[in-house]
Amino acid sequence: QMSDSFLMLAPDEPLLLSYHARAELAAGNADRARDVADQLMSMPIDESADAILRFAERLETVDAERARQLRDRFGERSNEAMQSLVDQALAGQIGVQEFRDGVNSLVAGGSPEAKLRGAVLIAGVLDALDDPGAAREYIDLASDHPSDARVQIEALRSNAIWATPAAAEDVIGRLRLLTGDDGTSWRVFEAKRVLLTDQSEATAARVVNDLSSVLRVSPRDVLALQLMAEAMIRVGDLPRSASFATRAAEADPENLVIAMDAIDALVRAGLNTEAEARVEASVTIRSDSPAARLRRVSLLGRYGLRDAAAQDWLWLASNGDLLTRARAALALAQLDRPEVATDLVAE
Protein backbone atom coordinates (compact mmCIF):
# COMPACT_ATOMS: atom_id res chain seq x y z
CA GLN A 1 0.00 0.00 0.00
CA MET A 2 2.87 2.38 0.77
CA SER A 3 4.57 1.75 -2.57
CA ASP A 4 1.25 2.18 -4.38
CA SER A 5 0.98 5.60 -2.77
CA PHE A 6 4.49 6.57 -3.81
CA LEU A 7 3.91 5.38 -7.36
CA MET A 8 0.89 7.64 -7.65
CA LEU A 9 3.34 10.53 -7.23
CA ALA A 10 6.05 9.11 -9.52
CA PRO A 11 4.60 6.30 -11.67
CA ASP A 12 7.62 6.11 -13.98
CA GLU A 13 10.38 6.11 -11.35
CA PRO A 14 12.43 2.88 -11.88
CA LEU A 15 13.77 2.77 -8.33
CA LEU A 16 10.28 2.97 -6.82
CA LEU A 17 9.01 0.42 -9.34
CA SER A 18 11.71 -2.06 -8.38
CA TYR A 19 10.85 -1.73 -4.69
CA HIS A 20 7.13 -2.02 -5.50
CA ALA A 21 7.75 -5.20 -7.52
CA ARG A 22 9.63 -6.76 -4.61
CA ALA A 23 6.73 -5.89 -2.31
CA GLU A 24 4.33 -7.55 -4.76
CA LEU A 25 6.49 -10.69 -4.76
CA ALA A 26 6.62 -10.74 -0.98
CA ALA A 27 2.83 -10.44 -0.91
CA GLY A 28 2.49 -13.37 -3.29
CA ASN A 29 1.36 -11.29 -6.27
CA ALA A 30 3.66 -12.84 -8.87
CA ASP A 31 1.59 -11.70 -11.87
CA ARG A 32 1.72 -8.07 -10.79
CA ALA A 33 5.49 -8.38 -10.25
CA ARG A 34 5.78 -9.71 -13.81
CA ASP A 35 3.86 -6.68 -15.08
CA VAL A 36 6.32 -4.38 -13.34
CA ALA A 37 9.24 -6.33 -14.82
CA ASP A 38 7.81 -5.75 -18.30
CA GLN A 39 7.39 -2.05 -17.51
CA LEU A 40 10.99 -1.78 -16.32
CA MET A 41 12.30 -3.37 -19.52
CA SER A 42 11.07 -0.36 -21.53
CA MET A 43 12.60 2.24 -19.23
CA PRO A 44 15.92 4.12 -19.57
CA ILE A 45 18.76 2.84 -17.44
CA ASP A 46 20.03 5.07 -14.65
CA GLU A 47 21.42 4.77 -11.14
CA SER A 48 18.52 2.45 -10.17
CA ALA A 49 20.06 -0.44 -12.15
CA ASP A 50 21.41 -2.24 -9.09
CA ALA A 51 18.04 -2.08 -7.32
CA ILE A 52 16.42 -3.57 -10.42
CA LEU A 53 19.02 -6.33 -10.48
CA ARG A 54 18.18 -7.12 -6.88
CA PHE A 55 14.52 -7.41 -7.88
CA ALA A 56 15.62 -9.76 -10.68
CA GLU A 57 17.24 -12.03 -8.08
CA ARG A 58 13.89 -12.32 -6.26
CA LEU A 59 11.97 -12.75 -9.52
CA GLU A 60 14.13 -15.75 -10.45
CA THR A 61 12.05 -18.04 -8.24
CA VAL A 62 8.80 -17.36 -10.11
CA ASP A 63 9.90 -16.31 -13.61
CA ALA A 64 13.44 -17.22 -14.58
CA GLU A 65 13.10 -15.92 -18.13
CA ARG A 66 12.00 -12.41 -17.13
CA ALA A 67 14.72 -12.36 -14.47
CA ARG A 68 17.30 -13.21 -17.14
CA GLN A 69 16.02 -10.43 -19.40
CA LEU A 70 16.31 -7.89 -16.60
CA ARG A 71 19.85 -9.06 -15.79
CA ASP A 72 20.90 -8.89 -19.44
CA ARG A 73 19.58 -5.37 -19.86
CA PHE A 74 20.40 -3.69 -16.58
CA GLY A 75 23.50 -5.66 -15.64
CA GLU A 76 25.36 -4.75 -18.82
CA ARG A 77 24.38 -1.10 -18.73
CA SER A 78 25.11 -0.77 -15.03
CA ASN A 79 28.58 -2.13 -15.68
CA GLU A 80 29.00 0.28 -18.60
CA ALA A 81 28.05 3.23 -16.41
CA MET A 82 30.49 2.07 -13.73
CA GLN A 83 33.28 1.62 -16.28
CA SER A 84 32.60 5.08 -17.67
CA LEU A 85 33.10 6.57 -14.21
CA VAL A 86 36.34 4.63 -13.78
CA ASP A 87 37.66 5.79 -17.16
CA GLN A 88 36.81 9.42 -16.40
CA ALA A 89 38.45 9.28 -12.96
CA LEU A 90 41.65 7.69 -14.25
CA ALA A 91 41.83 10.25 -17.06
CA GLY A 92 41.44 13.12 -14.59
CA GLN A 93 38.17 14.22 -16.18
CA ILE A 94 36.32 14.01 -12.86
CA GLY A 95 37.60 14.40 -9.31
CA VAL A 96 37.79 11.73 -6.65
CA GLN A 97 34.69 12.96 -4.81
CA GLU A 98 32.62 13.09 -8.00
CA PHE A 99 33.77 9.57 -8.84
CA ARG A 100 32.91 8.34 -5.34
CA ASP A 101 29.48 9.97 -5.48
CA GLY A 102 28.82 8.47 -8.91
CA VAL A 103 29.68 4.93 -7.83
CA ASN A 104 27.67 5.22 -4.63
CA SER A 105 24.71 6.48 -6.65
CA LEU A 106 24.90 3.47 -8.98
CA VAL A 107 24.88 0.96 -6.11
CA ALA A 108 22.34 2.79 -3.95
CA GLY A 109 19.41 0.48 -3.34
CA GLY A 110 21.43 -2.49 -4.53
CA SER A 111 22.37 -5.62 -2.62
CA PRO A 112 25.07 -5.60 0.07
CA GLU A 113 27.27 -7.46 -2.41
CA ALA A 114 26.80 -4.71 -5.01
CA LYS A 115 27.64 -2.04 -2.43
CA LEU A 116 30.75 -3.95 -1.43
CA ARG A 117 31.82 -4.21 -5.07
CA GLY A 118 31.35 -0.46 -5.36
CA ALA A 119 33.49 0.18 -2.28
CA VAL A 120 36.24 -2.10 -3.58
CA LEU A 121 36.11 -0.32 -6.94
CA ILE A 122 36.45 3.09 -5.28
CA ALA A 123 39.48 1.89 -3.32
CA GLY A 124 41.03 0.41 -6.45
CA VAL A 125 40.73 3.64 -8.43
CA LEU A 126 42.16 5.66 -5.55
CA ASP A 127 45.06 3.22 -5.47
CA ALA A 128 45.62 3.57 -9.22
CA LEU A 129 45.62 7.36 -8.83
CA ASP A 130 48.12 7.20 -5.94
CA ASP A 131 45.56 9.08 -3.87
CA PRO A 132 46.75 9.56 -0.26
CA GLY A 133 43.41 8.25 1.00
CA ALA A 134 43.72 4.88 -0.75
CA ALA A 135 45.49 3.11 2.13
CA ARG A 136 42.85 4.17 4.65
CA GLU A 137 40.14 3.08 2.23
CA TYR A 138 41.57 -0.44 2.07
CA ILE A 139 42.32 -0.65 5.78
CA ASP A 140 38.73 0.28 6.63
CA LEU A 141 37.30 -2.10 4.03
CA ALA A 142 39.34 -5.02 5.36
CA SER A 143 38.47 -4.30 9.00
CA ASP A 144 34.76 -3.77 8.19
CA HIS A 145 34.60 -7.19 6.47
CA PRO A 146 36.84 -9.37 8.67
CA SER A 147 35.16 -12.62 7.60
CA ASP A 148 35.48 -11.99 3.85
CA ALA A 149 38.75 -13.40 2.51
CA ARG A 150 38.20 -11.73 -0.86
CA VAL A 151 38.26 -8.27 0.73
CA GLN A 152 41.45 -9.06 2.65
CA ILE A 153 43.11 -10.22 -0.58
CA GLU A 154 41.94 -7.12 -2.49
CA ALA A 155 43.50 -4.92 0.20
CA LEU A 156 46.76 -6.84 0.10
CA ARG A 157 46.91 -6.66 -3.69
CA SER A 158 46.83 -2.86 -3.56
CA ASN A 159 49.94 -0.74 -3.64
CA ALA A 160 48.73 1.73 -1.04
CA ILE A 161 48.51 -0.59 1.95
CA TRP A 162 52.16 -1.55 1.64
CA ALA A 163 53.22 1.99 2.50
CA THR A 164 52.35 0.91 6.05
CA PRO A 165 53.56 -2.69 6.49
CA ALA A 166 52.05 -2.80 10.00
CA ALA A 167 48.59 -2.27 8.48
CA ALA A 168 49.29 -5.03 5.98
CA GLU A 169 50.32 -7.31 8.84
CA ASP A 170 46.87 -6.98 10.43
CA VAL A 171 45.16 -7.90 7.16
CA ILE A 172 47.49 -10.87 6.66
CA GLY A 173 46.61 -12.06 10.14
CA ARG A 174 42.89 -12.01 9.33
CA LEU A 175 43.49 -13.79 6.03
CA ARG A 176 45.49 -16.48 7.83
CA LEU A 177 42.61 -17.06 10.26
CA LEU A 178 40.17 -17.35 7.36
CA THR A 179 42.24 -19.68 5.18
CA GLY A 180 44.08 -21.65 7.86
CA ASP A 181 47.79 -22.16 8.38
CA ASP A 182 48.00 -24.28 5.23
CA GLY A 183 46.59 -21.50 3.03
CA THR A 184 48.95 -20.22 0.35
CA SER A 185 47.64 -16.70 -0.16
CA TRP A 186 48.54 -15.40 3.30
CA ARG A 187 51.99 -16.99 3.01
CA VAL A 188 52.72 -15.08 -0.19
CA PHE A 189 51.68 -11.74 1.31
CA GLU A 190 53.63 -12.47 4.47
CA ALA A 191 56.71 -13.11 2.34
CA LYS A 192 56.18 -9.71 0.73
CA ARG A 193 55.86 -8.04 4.13
CA VAL A 194 59.00 -9.70 5.44
CA LEU A 195 61.04 -8.72 2.38
CA LEU A 196 59.88 -5.11 2.79
CA THR A 197 60.72 -4.89 6.47
CA ASP A 198 63.93 -6.93 6.64
CA GLN A 199 66.63 -6.58 3.99
CA SER A 200 68.94 -9.29 5.33
CA GLU A 201 70.18 -12.24 3.31
CA ALA A 202 69.01 -14.62 6.05
CA THR A 203 65.46 -13.35 5.75
CA ALA A 204 65.60 -13.70 1.97
CA ALA A 205 66.76 -17.30 2.35
CA ARG A 206 63.83 -18.00 4.68
CA VAL A 207 61.44 -16.48 2.15
CA VAL A 208 62.88 -18.72 -0.58
CA ASN A 209 62.16 -21.75 1.60
CA ASP A 210 58.60 -20.61 2.44
CA LEU A 211 57.69 -19.73 -1.14
CA SER A 212 59.10 -22.97 -2.51
CA SER A 213 56.29 -24.82 -0.74
CA VAL A 214 53.73 -22.34 -2.11
CA LEU A 215 54.98 -22.79 -5.68
CA ARG A 216 54.76 -26.56 -5.40
CA VAL A 217 51.02 -26.08 -4.89
CA SER A 218 50.53 -23.03 -7.15
CA PRO A 219 53.39 -23.00 -9.70
CA ARG A 220 51.89 -20.06 -11.65
CA ASP A 221 51.29 -17.74 -8.69
CA VAL A 222 52.60 -14.51 -10.21
CA LEU A 223 53.29 -12.65 -6.97
CA ALA A 224 55.07 -15.66 -5.45
CA LEU A 225 57.27 -15.91 -8.55
CA GLN A 226 58.05 -12.19 -8.42
CA LEU A 227 58.96 -12.39 -4.75
CA MET A 228 61.19 -15.41 -5.40
CA ALA A 229 62.98 -13.40 -8.08
CA GLU A 230 63.55 -10.60 -5.56
CA ALA A 231 64.71 -12.98 -2.84
CA MET A 232 67.16 -14.68 -5.21
CA ILE A 233 68.82 -11.33 -5.90
CA ARG A 234 69.41 -10.89 -2.19
CA VAL A 235 70.95 -14.33 -1.80
CA GLY A 236 73.17 -13.63 -4.81
CA ASP A 237 71.68 -16.13 -7.29
CA LEU A 238 71.06 -13.93 -10.35
CA PRO A 239 70.40 -16.75 -12.87
CA ARG A 240 67.66 -18.20 -10.66
CA SER A 241 66.28 -14.72 -10.12
CA ALA A 242 65.98 -14.36 -13.89
CA SER A 243 64.33 -17.78 -14.12
CA PHE A 244 61.62 -16.87 -11.62
CA ALA A 245 61.10 -13.44 -13.20
CA THR A 246 60.58 -14.97 -16.64
CA ARG A 247 58.19 -17.54 -15.18
CA ALA A 248 56.18 -14.67 -13.72
CA ALA A 249 56.06 -13.00 -17.15
CA GLU A 250 54.89 -16.24 -18.75
CA ALA A 251 52.19 -16.66 -16.10
CA ASP A 252 50.85 -13.14 -16.81
CA PRO A 253 51.77 -12.56 -20.47
CA GLU A 254 49.71 -9.38 -20.93
CA ASN A 255 51.33 -7.48 -18.05
CA LEU A 256 53.94 -5.12 -19.45
CA VAL A 257 55.42 -4.22 -16.05
CA ILE A 258 56.14 -7.87 -15.28
CA ALA A 259 57.58 -8.35 -18.78
CA MET A 260 59.95 -5.42 -18.20
CA ASP A 261 60.96 -6.84 -14.81
CA ALA A 262 61.83 -10.14 -16.50
CA ILE A 263 64.00 -8.37 -19.08
CA ASP A 264 65.80 -6.44 -16.33
CA ALA A 265 66.45 -9.71 -14.49
CA LEU A 266 67.86 -11.34 -17.62
CA VAL A 267 70.19 -8.39 -18.26
CA ARG A 268 71.28 -8.43 -14.61
CA ALA A 269 72.17 -12.12 -14.99
CA GLY A 270 74.12 -11.46 -18.20
CA LEU A 271 71.59 -13.32 -20.38
CA ASN A 272 71.51 -10.67 -23.09
CA THR A 273 70.34 -12.86 -25.98
CA GLU A 274 67.30 -13.98 -23.99
CA ALA A 275 66.68 -10.38 -22.91
CA GLU A 276 66.71 -9.12 -26.51
CA ALA A 277 64.26 -11.85 -27.56
CA ARG A 278 61.87 -10.80 -24.81
CA VAL A 279 62.16 -7.13 -25.78
CA GLU A 280 61.12 -8.05 -29.32
CA ALA A 281 58.24 -10.18 -28.03
CA SER A 282 57.03 -7.41 -25.72
CA VAL A 283 55.93 -5.15 -28.58
CA THR A 284 52.61 -7.04 -28.79
CA ILE A 285 51.71 -6.25 -25.15
CA ARG A 286 49.24 -3.41 -24.76
CA SER A 287 49.41 -1.21 -21.69
CA ASP A 288 47.67 1.89 -20.39
CA SER A 289 50.56 2.67 -18.06
CA PRO A 290 52.82 5.54 -19.19
CA ALA A 291 55.51 4.36 -16.76
CA ALA A 292 55.53 0.86 -18.26
CA ARG A 293 55.57 2.25 -21.80
CA LEU A 294 58.53 4.47 -20.92
CA ARG A 295 60.44 1.45 -19.65
CA ARG A 296 59.73 -0.45 -22.84
CA VAL A 297 60.48 2.39 -25.23
CA SER A 298 63.90 2.79 -23.62
CA LEU A 299 64.66 -0.87 -24.32
CA LEU A 300 63.24 -0.72 -27.83
CA GLY A 301 65.61 2.14 -28.63
CA ARG A 302 68.54 0.31 -27.08
CA TYR A 303 67.93 -2.74 -29.28
CA GLY A 304 67.28 -0.74 -32.46
CA LEU A 305 63.56 -1.48 -32.80
CA ARG A 306 62.80 1.97 -34.19
CA ASP A 307 59.30 1.37 -35.59
CA ALA A 308 58.07 -0.19 -32.37
CA ALA A 309 59.69 2.63 -30.38
CA ALA A 310 57.92 5.19 -32.55
CA GLN A 311 54.56 3.54 -31.80
CA ASP A 312 55.17 3.77 -28.06
CA TRP A 313 56.28 7.40 -28.33
CA LEU A 314 53.14 8.21 -30.33
CA TRP A 315 51.02 6.66 -27.57
CA LEU A 316 52.95 8.56 -24.91
CA ALA A 317 52.53 11.78 -26.87
CA SER A 318 48.77 11.40 -26.46
CA ASN A 319 48.64 9.92 -22.96
CA GLY A 320 51.67 11.11 -21.02
CA ASP A 321 52.14 14.16 -18.82
CA LEU A 322 53.67 17.37 -20.16
CA LEU A 323 57.29 16.29 -19.59
CA THR A 324 56.67 12.91 -21.22
CA ARG A 325 55.06 14.56 -24.23
CA ALA A 326 58.05 16.86 -24.57
CA ARG A 327 60.34 13.82 -24.50
CA ALA A 328 58.10 12.20 -27.11
CA ALA A 329 58.47 15.20 -29.39
CA LEU A 330 62.27 14.99 -29.24
CA ALA A 331 62.28 11.21 -29.74
CA LEU A 332 59.85 11.32 -32.67
CA ALA A 333 61.96 13.98 -34.39
CA GLN A 334 64.93 11.61 -34.13
CA LEU A 335 62.77 8.73 -35.42
CA ASP A 336 61.92 10.53 -38.66
CA ARG A 337 58.48 11.71 -37.51
CA PRO A 338 59.17 15.47 -37.67
CA GLU A 339 55.57 16.45 -38.46
CA VAL A 340 54.28 14.83 -35.27
CA ALA A 341 57.13 16.35 -33.28
CA THR A 342 56.37 19.81 -34.67
CA ASP A 343 52.68 19.50 -33.74
CA LEU A 344 53.60 18.43 -30.22
CA VAL A 345 55.94 21.35 -29.74
CA ALA A 346 53.30 23.77 -31.02
CA GLU A 347 50.72 22.34 -28.67
Side-chain angles (χ1 to χ4, degrees), residues 26-293:
N29 301 324
D31 287 341
R32 294 176 67 179
R34 290 188 181 95
D35 291 342
V36 176
D38 293 340
Q39 188 178 351
L40 286 168
M41 285 296 295
S42 64
M43 289 191 162
I45 299 163
D46 57 17
E47 64 272 7
S48 61
D50 273 310
I52 296 172
L53 291 172
R54 194 170 185 189
F55 161 52
E57 292 175 7
R58 309 291 178 85
L59 185 63
E60 181 79 29
T61 59
V62 297
D63 195 325
E65 177 58 23
R66 277 186 171 85
R68 182 193 63 77
Q69 291 173 0
L70 286 171
R71 283 196 301 270
D72 288 348
R73 175 170 169 75
F74 290 92
E76 179 181 350
R77 292 298 298 274
S78 177
N79 290 338
E80 286 177 2
M82 198 77 80
Q83 187 59 53
S84 176
L85 285 170
V86 171
D87 292 342
Q88 292 176 69
L90 293 178
Q93 296 169 352
I94 59 175
V96 168
Q97 190 58 51
E98 185 178 351
F99 168 70
R100 185 191 297 276
D101 292 344
V103 172
N104 287 334
S105 176
L106 285 172
V107 300
S111 66
E113 180 68 22
K115 292 177 180 177
L116 176 58
R117 287 198 303 270
V120 170
L121 182 65
I122 290 170
V125 168
L126 293 183
D127 190 42
L129 293 171
D130 293 326
D131 187 277
R136 174 48 55 188
E137 203 85 19
Y138 275 115
I139 291 168
D140 290 346
L141 261 177
S143 61
D144 290 345
H145 299 84
S147 60
D148 194 326
R150 297 169 305 166
V151 176
Q152 312 305 314
I153 290 173
E154 285 290 342
L156 292 167
R157 283 177 175 166
S158 73
N159 292 319
I161 202 168
W162 294 101
T164 311
E169 186 174 10
D170 292 339
V171 182
I172 294 168
R174 283 194 291 271
L175 184 59
R176 182 176 183 177
L177 288 174
L178 292 169
T179 61
D181 286 345
D182 293 333
T184 58
S185 54
W186 76 265
R187 291 179 179 275
V188 175
F189 291 118
E190 175 63 8
K192 180 173 182 175
R193 187 191 68 80
V194 168
L195 286 175
L196 282 172
T197 56
D198 187 338
Q199 306 294 316
S200 70
E201 183 177 335
T203 294
R206 189 170 74 252
V207 165
V208 168
N209 184 62
D210 291 344
L211 289 181
S212 293
S213 62
V214 170
L215 289 171
R216 280 193 291 270
V217 177
S218 303
R220 293 178 64 82
D221 187 308
V222 175
L223 180 55
L225 291 166
Q226 289 178 292
L227 293 171
M228 280 289 265
E230 173 63 26
M232 286 298 176
I233 293 175
R234 297 191 192 180
V235 299
D237 195 335
L238 297 184
R240 290 192 70 194
S241 173
S243 174
F244 282 111
T246 54
R247 284 175 58 186
E250 289 160 3
D252 191 358
E254 298 304 315
N255 190 312
L256 185 56
V257 173
I258 296 176
M260 295 299 99
D261 289 344
I263 292 166
D264 288 346
L266 288 165
V267 171
R268 195 182 299 116
L271 302 171
N272 294 309
T273 301
E274 292 89 335
E276 184 173 0
R278 286 193 173 269
V279 171
E280 293 176 358
S282 77
V283 300
T284 61
I285 302 175
R286 299 181 63 182
S287 175
D288 292 329
S289 166
R293 293 257 190 172

